[in-house]
Amino acid sequence: MSTLRVVLGDQLSRGLAALRGAAAGDTVLLAEVVGECTYVPHHPQKIVLVLSAMRHFAAALAADGFAVRYTRLDDPANAQSLTGEVRRAAAALRPEKIVVTAPGEWRVAQDVAGWEAACGVPVEVVEDDRFLASRKFFEVFARGRTQLRMEFFYREMRKAHGVLMDGGVPAGGKWNFDSENRKALPKGLRPPAIKRFAPDAVTQEVMTLVKEKFATHYGSADGFDYPVTAAQARAGFAEFLAVRLKDFGDWQDAMAADEPFMFHALVSAPLNVGLLDPLELCRAAEETYRAGAAPLNAVEGFIRQILGWREFVRGVYWLHMPEYAARNALGADKRLPAFFWTGATSMRCVAAVVGQTMRHAYAHHIQRLMITGNFALLAGLHPDAVDEWYLAVYADAYEWVEMPNTRGMALHADGGTVGSKPYAASGAYINRMSDYCGKCFYDVKDAAGDRACPFNALYWDFIARHADRFSGNPRMAMPVRGLKNMAPGKLAAVRQRAAWLLEQMETGAKI
Ligand code: FAD
Ligand code: DLZ
Ligand code: SF4
C-alpha cells in the first residue's frame, strides 16, 4: 500500500510521527509555497530559515533512501498552497493514503481537514509527539480548574518526565528559582559572542530567491546566520551549555542596547522547525547541573521555559482555539504605530528592540514582553494588529506559541488565561533592568512634562482606564492604590500627556 507522507516546514524532525513505518513505494512530500510565506509578511530571515532547513532535510532523507517529492518555490507548476501541492502530488502519485503529522497551527489544521475531499484519498492525521504534553494530557490537567497556572502544570511535567527530580522531590528542594533570575546587568559585563552559522550554497540560493520574491517584507535576508540542519542546531546549543548557561539564570531578565542576545540560548527558531528535541535540551541542561558546570537557578530557569512555558502555551492554544484568536478582554482598539515596522521613534528602548528585530528576527523574552509588548498593552493597541506583528517579525514565530504569548501574556487580552495579571510596567522597570534610559531623549523620572518618558504617562493612564476591572484583582492592588493616592492635579497632567501621545500616534506623528 503506497502512502504519501507530507512533512510541513516546521516538522523537520527525523523521528517525526508521519515518517514512522515508511515502506518501499511511499513518497515523502515537502513543498515550498508562497501561501505559507505570505499569510503574514514574515521576516525574510524566517522564510530563509524554513526553506533552507526544508531543502537540507529533504536532501538528508533522500540520501537515506526515502523517495522524496520536493516542490521549489519557483517551480512554474507550483500551486503555491499546501492543499494545492498535496492535491497535485496525490494526482501524480495516486497513493492509497496520505499521512501527515498534526499541524501546529489551527489555520493549517483547517486546511488539512479539507485534504480528503480535495484529493479523494483517505487522510490520516497522526499526533505530533515531539511535544512533551499531549493535547489529552493538557485537557486532563485543565479539567475542573477555574484558572490555569503554568507553575502547577510545570510541576506535573517535571514529575511526568523525571526532569530535575531527586526521587519524589524537586532538585534543590524548590520547584522554581524565578526570584533568583531577576538581576539587572552590572556595568561592563559583556555576554560572550554567539556561535553563528555562515550560509552554505543551499542557503545562499534561498537567500537570493527570498530577496527577489519578498522584497517588501520587514527586515532583510542579509546577515542570515541561523542553523539550518540538526547538526548545526546541536552545535549552537552545545556552545550555549558550555559558555552561557551558567549565567542564564542571573541575567535572564536583563536588557542592553548593544547586546541583542545576552545569555539566552537562541534555540527557539531551530526548535520550532523541528531541528532540536525539547526533552533532549532539558536532559542536557540537567546533566550540566549534575556535573557541577552550571548552577541550579540557571538550569531550572532554562528547563522551566521549555518544559513549562513552551508546553503550557501550546496547551492553552489548542484548548481554546479558535475563540482564543478573537479575545480582546481590555477592549483595545488602537492601530499599530508605524514605528513598530520602522523603528523610527525617540523611545530608545523601543527603537533598540525594533532595530535588533529587523536585523536578526530575534529579541529575547523580556524585550518582547516588557518593551514592545508592554508598550502595546499600555497604549491599547488592537490585539489582532499586535499578533500579526509578532507572527511576522520573529524567526521562531508560529501561531501556537506566538498567540498565547502575545494576546495572553503580553496584552492580557485573553482575560487572564495565561497570566493572572497584566505585565504592565512604567519606565522605572525598564530603567532598572536595562541600559536604555541613560541616553534616551526622554526623561525616565518624569511622567507629565514635554520630555517625560511615554511609558510613565501611558502606564498611569492604563491603570486609570481599567481601575474598576483591576480593583478586583489582588495582584493589581498596589498600582490601583498608587493611582488613588496620586494628587488629582498630577493625575490630570499625566493623563493629558498620555492623551497627547496617543493622539500623536493616531495621526502618524513621531514620538
Ligand atoms: P531562551 O530565553 O534561551 O529560552 C529557552 C527556550 O524556552 C526558548 O527557545 C523557547 O523555546 C522556550 N521559551 C521561553 N519562554 C517561552 C514562552 N514564553 N513561551 C514559549 N516558549 C518559551 N517564543 C517562540 O518560540 N515563538 C514565538 O512566536 C514567541 N512569541 C512571543 C511573543 C511575546 C509577546 C512574548 C512575550 C514571548 C514570545 N515567545 C515566543 C517566547 C520567548 O520570547 C522566546 O521563546 C524566546 O525569546 C526565544 O529566544 P531563546 O531561544 O534565546 O530563548
Ligand atoms: C512558516 C512556513 C513558511 C515560511 N513556508 C513554508 C513552506 O513553504 N512550506 C511549508 O510546508 N511550511 C512552511 N512554513 C511552515 C508552515 O507555515 C507551518 O507548517 C504552519 O505554520 C503550521 O505550524
Ligand atoms: Fe524607554 Fe522611557 Fe527609558 Fe526612554 S526613558 S528608554 S522611552 S523607558
Side-chain angles (χ1 to χ4, degrees), residues 347-349 427 430 436-437 440 442-444 453-455:
M347 292 181 284
R348 187 160 181 256
C349 53
I430 297 171
Y436 294 136
C437 302
C440 184
Y442 292 111
D443 177 0
V444 71
C453 168
F455 280 86

Side-chain angles (χ1 to χ4, degrees), residues 116-131:
E116 197 154 311
C119 304
V121 179
V123 175
E124 188 187 341
V125 181
V126 290
E127 180 164 354
D128 190 348
D129 52 15
R130 298 172 305 164
F131 289 93

Side-chain angles (χ1 to χ4, degrees), residues 143-155:
R143 205 171 288 153
R145 291 179 196 257
T146 46
Q147 275 199 328
L148 301 179
R149 287 297 156 249
M150 198 291 291
E151 182 60 29
F152 299 115
F153 169 76
Y154 168 56
R155 293 178 190 179

Side-chain angles (χ1 to χ4, degrees), residues 40-330:
V40 292
H42 298 295
H43 195 301
Q45 294 191 20
K46 175 180 178 186
I47 304 178
V48 172
L49 167 68
V50 174
L51 302 194
S52 177
M54 283 174 72
R55 289 184 185 194
H56 283 92
F57 187 75
L61 285 182
D64 282 355
F66 285 86
V68 178
R69 178 183 162 108
Y70 193 94
T71 314
R72 288 180 169 233
L73 199 70
D74 50 3
D75 181 340
N78 191 331
Q80 302 297 4
S81 71
L82 290 173
T83 301
E85 276 307 291
V86 172
R87 186 169 35 208
R88 216 162 61 84
L93 301 168
R94 305 200 161 277
E96 283 153 89
K97 180 168 91 160
I98 296 172
V99 175
V100 64
T101 311
E105 300 188 338
W106 175 267
R107 175 185 64 82
V108 183
Q110 296 303 102
D111 288 352
V112 170
W115 286 1
E116 197 154 311
C119 304
V121 179
V123 175
E124 188 187 341
V125 181
V126 290
E127 180 164 354
D128 190 348
D129 52 15
R130 298 172 305 164
F131 289 93
L132 303 173
S134 66
R135 282 164 61 178
K136 185 91 205 135
F137 181 96
F138 198 83
E139 275 165 30
V140 170
F141 163 77
R143 205 171 288 153
R145 291 179 196 257
T146 46
Q147 275 199 328
L148 301 179
R149 287 297 156 249
M150 198 291 291
E151 182 60 29
F152 299 115
F153 169 76
Y154 168 56
R155 293 178 190 179
E156 298 285 311
M157 293 292 282
R158 289 265 296 273
K159 285 187 250 171
H161 295 277
V163 175
L164 274 186
M165 298 298 295
D166 289 335
V169 294
K174 257 194 339 183
W175 291 104
N176 187 316
F177 290 80
D178 197 23
S179 58
E180 294 172 32
N181 294 353
R182 293 180 189 145
K183 291 193 189 155
L185 198 69
K187 259 203 174 89
L189 182 74
R190 308 285 299 184
I194 299 286
K195 187 175 177 67
R196 307 301 279 175
F197 300 88
D200 64 5
V202 174
T203 302
Q204 283 173 24
E205 194 185 350
V206 174
M207 286 168 73
T208 305
L209 180 70
V210 167
K211 279 200 234 175
E212 185 189 300
K213 296 249 180 224
F214 308 109
T216 58
H217 291 200
Y218 161 101
S220 161
D222 287 333
F224 177 89
D225 55 6
Y226 279 91
V228 292
T229 64
Q232 287 183 339
R234 282 197 206 105
F237 181 62
E239 183 257 7
F240 166 74
L241 287 182
V243 181
R244 296 197 307 285
L245 174 61
K246 63 182 169 36
D247 294 312
F248 174 86
D250 282 358
W251 322 119
Q252 199 177 334
D253 288 2
M255 299 173 278
D258 299 325
E259 298 291 351
F261 310 117
M262 301 301 283
F263 294 92
H264 291 272
L266 272 77
V267 288
S268 53
L271 182 59
N272 292 352
V273 290
L275 300 180
L276 293 169
D277 175 75
L279 193 55
E280 275 177 24
L281 301 187
C282 294
R283 297 246 185 265
E286 176 168 0
E287 275 168 30
T288 311
Y289 161 66
R290 302 277 181 202
L296 188 53
N297 76 318
V299 171
E300 187 282 318
F302 177 75
I303 288 174
R304 183 174 357 110
Q305 307 312 316
I306 297 199
L307 192 62
W309 279 111
R310 184 170 187 266
E311 298 287 334
F312 180 74
V313 297
R314 177 175 178 267
V316 165
Y317 177 80
W318 281 104
L319 193 65
H320 294 294
M321 281 299 280
E323 60 81 19
Y324 195 85
R327 291 198 199 172
N328 186 2
L330 300 180

Side-chain angles (χ1 to χ4, degrees), residues 264-268 272 305 362 365 368 396-397 401-402 405:
H264 291 272
L266 272 77
V267 288
S268 53
N272 292 352
Q305 307 312 316
Y362 179 85
H365 185 69
R368 298 188 204 195
D396 58 22
V401 52
E402 173 280 325
N405 269 299

